[in-house]
Amino acid sequence: MSDRYNKENENVHTDFAERMTYGEYLNLDELLAAQNRLSSHHDEMLFIIIHQVSELWMKLTLHELYAAIDAIRQNELQPAFKMLARVSSIQKQIIQAWDVLSTLTPAEYMEFRDQLGQASGFQSYQYRMIEFALGYKTPHVLKIYKKNPELHKQLLDSFESPSIYDATIEKLSEAGFNINPDLIGRDYTQAYEYDASVEAAWAKVYKNVDQYWELYQLAEKLVDIEDSLQQWRFRHMKTVERIIGHKKGTGGSSGVGYLKKVLDHRFFPELWDVRTNV
């Protein structure tokens, strides 16, 4: 067994004097040096890593969402489906992260919570950009990022850009559905709101799946994403409630009260209503 093991591994590269290593490719020195605790408490490491990992997943989510929006607008729906399916898989990972954070007890968190100051997940700019990409535009949150002009511009560009649902509604119109013309090329800085013409279009799609197969697939991919995002929001709310109860959030929000309120928001309202009315 020992000889076989050595023979199978005899071609493994071990000389990296002039070659790039795995750690160098991934910038692991920088990545693994970024967990800087502000307290001496053991569990602060958990808190930092969970949030950093979630931000990495959100970066990939945005990468896929932006590419999917471009693909949809260029009428390349099959590649978009692959990207959106990947987003749904990413969301599962982020949802499960709450299970790990839930191992943090209230007493443990209070040992280092004051060290956070006013820093809060409420300020996650990537999460805001995901909301913008899905059509939920909230102008007041842009104020948070004025401290960094470059980041503020990035957020503003995202805020002013069409969402994936705007791109989808354009496809419905191009397919011959009688879409409210005010929705095409609308002011993208406004949060999307329900429109009867869009629900009527989706009703026809769902009643004629074979005829509108790609639009039906696109609709279901969007439902998958909103479903998972709402599950993420719910797990966030329950984890916060489990750890800090109904205390105010470090960022000044009402905490659990605010998180419960956002659960009522729908990104793609017609895709939910059509299930009742079709």
Side-chain angles (χ1 to χ4, degrees), residues 167-179:
T168 298
I169 291 171
E170 288 177 8
K171 289 298 111 182
L172 290 172
S173 179
E174 291 171 11
F177 292 100
N178 186 23
I179 299 297

Side-chain angles (χ1 to χ4, degrees), residues 41-58:
H41 196 276
H42 173 84
D43 293 309
E44 189 181 357
M45 183 65 75
L46 161 70
F47 191 82
I48 292 171
I49 288 177
I50 286 292
H51 288 85
Q52 287 182 339
V53 169
S54 294
E55 290 290 338
L56 286 172
W57 281 127
M58 283 191 273

Side-chain angles (χ1 to χ4, degrees), residues 252-263:
S253 75
S254 59
V256 169
Y258 169 80
L259 296 173
K260 284 184 177 179
K261 183 179 179 180
V262 297
L263 282 170

Side-chain angles (χ1 to χ4, degrees), residues 226-274:
E226 179 162 355
D227 190 349
S228 293
L229 185 58
Q230 292 293 58
Q231 290 182 50
W232 182 90
R233 283 173 159 179
F234 179 79
R235 290 294 296 122
H236 184 191
M237 182 270 293
K238 294 306 292 184
T239 302
V240 170
E241 186 175 21
R242 176 172 177 159
I243 296 174
I244 68 167
H246 289 265
K247 294 184 179 75
K248 288 187 67 172
T250 51
S253 75
S254 59
V256 169
Y258 169 80
L259 296 173
K260 284 184 177 179
K261 183 179 179 180
V262 297
L263 282 170
D264 293 331
H265 174 261
R266 299 187 302 172
F267 292 92
F268 317 127
E270 300 87 357
L271 286 174
W272 296 100
D273 289 348
V274 76

Side-chain angles (χ1 to χ4, degrees), residues 178-180 183 192-203 270 273:
N178 186 23
I179 299 297
N180 179 354
L183 298 179
Y192 180 79
E193 296 183 359
Y194 169 90
D195 189 279
S197 70
V198 175
E199 184 180 348
W202 285 130
E270 300 87 357
D273 289 348

